[in-house]
Amino acid sequence: METQIQPAQNTDIEKIQELNADLSEMEAEEHDPTINPEWTLTEEAANWYRERINQGNGFAVVAQEDKEVIGYAIGVTGSAEVFRTNHTRRTRNHVPPTQIQRTRNRH
């Protein structure tokens, strides 16, 4: 099976949200309690992803196998981290609000 990386489309948003929900839950529990895992499934989040796909201030790509989205990468410059519970940027050890998700076979 060959993995292909392609620009994300608006039709990929629902799958991106599902993948991000899994990642956000794990990140909030294990690493960063300011991440709000419920945000990723909201209409606000769908609009945020849509903006990354359609506007020039960011990027969005998906990884596909057999035409199924199995991962994604999204990045943006100059945006507040709306997925955090406190909506503020971290200043110590700050990492730009880029999210990368790859799925794994889970049993």
Side-chain angles (χ1 to χ4, degrees):
M1 219 178 297
E2 184 177 321
T3 302
Q4 296 181 346
I5 307 299
Q6 301 190 40
Q9 304 294 316
N10 287 332
T11 55
D12 298 322
I13 291 172
E14 187 174 327
K15 185 62 177 181
I16 290 170
Q17 286 181 281
E18 291 172 12
L19 293 169
N20 189 257
D22 291 339
L23 174 65
S24 295
E25 186 174 320
M26 187 265 313
E27 287 289 321
E29 290 176 5
E30 297 178 17
H31 303 291
D32 187 349
T34 69
I35 292 176
N36 178 3
E38 295 174 8
W39 176 84
T40 194
L41 297 175
T42 66
E43 188 61 30
E44 179 185 11
N47 289 333
W48 189 90
Y49 296 125
R50 195 171 291 107
E51 288 174 7
R52 302 299 74 77
I53 291 169
N54 297 311
Q55 293 182 1
N57 69 336
F59 74 94
V61 295
V62 292
Q64 296 180 335
E65 286 184 358
D66 292 330
K67 298 185 181 188
E68 178 185 349
V69 174
I70 60 165
Y72 71 93
I74 292 181
V76 63
T77 58
S79 175
E81 295 176 328
V82 296
F83 53 85
R84 296 194 184 281
T85 56
N86 61 4
H87 293 269
T88 60
R89 290 180 178 260
R90 288 183 285 175
T91 55
R92 194 175 130 214
N93 301 324
H94 175 69
V95 175
T98 302
Q99 298 197 13
I100 299 173
Q101 166 71 31
R102 292 202 93 197
T103 59
R104 297 181 201 124
N105 291 333
R106 294 181 184 165
H107 301 280

